[in-house]
């Protein structure tokens, strides 16, 4: 994304979205053919009320990813690549924090120290 000219603005994100959706459709089609599912038959879909929490979570996650990607592109075009590279590489930290809150997973002491150091280094980059 850094290689795109600043004039492209958020076009790389649109391309990423379209390519990702197309690949998802291809994978879905291949899985249906391999598993032998028919497009309209097969097991009945769960009731809408059963799907609502999952749909809310999926929409929220999609919006957060879109905002994060937009901020990343903006930052790449505004700031230094070295700083944005470091901050962009912290994306697994979001997964760790979600695992802590949603799945109630526990971190070892070493992992907690790693998370704290990563956050402290990010703050030092931001304010330094």
């Amino acid at each position: 994304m850094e290689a795109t000219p600043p004039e492209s603005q958020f076009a790389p994100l649109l391309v990423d979205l379209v390519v990702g959706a197309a690949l998802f459709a291809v994978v879905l089609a291949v899985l249906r053919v391999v598993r032998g599912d028919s497009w309209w038959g097969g097991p009945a879909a769960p009731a809408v009320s059963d799907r609502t929490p999952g749909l809310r979570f999926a929409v929220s996650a999609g919006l957060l990813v879109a905002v994060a990607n937009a901020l990343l592109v903006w930052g790449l075009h505004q700031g230094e690549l070295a700083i944005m590279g470091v901050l962009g590489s912290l994306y697994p930290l979001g997964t760790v924090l979600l695992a802590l809150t949603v799945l109630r997973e526990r971190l070892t002491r070493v992992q907690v120290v790693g998370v704290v150091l990563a956050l402290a280094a990010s703050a030092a980059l931001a304010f330094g």
Side-chain angles (χ1 to χ4, degrees):
M1 288 190 197
E2 169 63 22
T4 61
E7 299 82 35
S8 67
Q9 294 183 357
F10 297 108
L13 295 178
L14 180 62
V15 171
D16 180 52
L17 177 68
V18 170
V19 170
L23 285 173
F24 179 75
V26 168
V27 168
L28 182 64
V30 168
L31 287 175
R32 286 210 177 245
V33 168
V34 168
R35 289 181 25 193
D37 294 343
S38 66
W39 288 100
W40 309 111
V48 174
S49 61
D50 294 339
R51 294 182 292 179
T52 302
L55 289 174
R56 277 192 205 133
F57 186 71
V59 168
S60 299
L63 288 173
L64 285 173
V65 166
V67 168
N69 284 339
L71 289 173
L72 177 65
V73 168
W74 178 76
L76 287 171
H77 290 299
Q78 299 299 317
E80 294 183 31
L81 178 60
I83 293 173
M84 289 308 300
V86 170
L87 294 177
S89 68
L90 290 175
Y91 74 91
L93 190 57
T95 305
V96 170
L97 295 176
L98 275 174
L100 284 171
T101 57
V102 176
L103 300 176
R104 308 278 188 239
E105 290 192 13
R106 297 181 185 158
L107 293 180
T108 64
R109 287 184 183 151
V110 173
Q111 291 169 323
V112 170
V113 169
V115 167
V116 169
L117 287 176
L119 292 174
S122 299
L125 273 176
F127 298 115

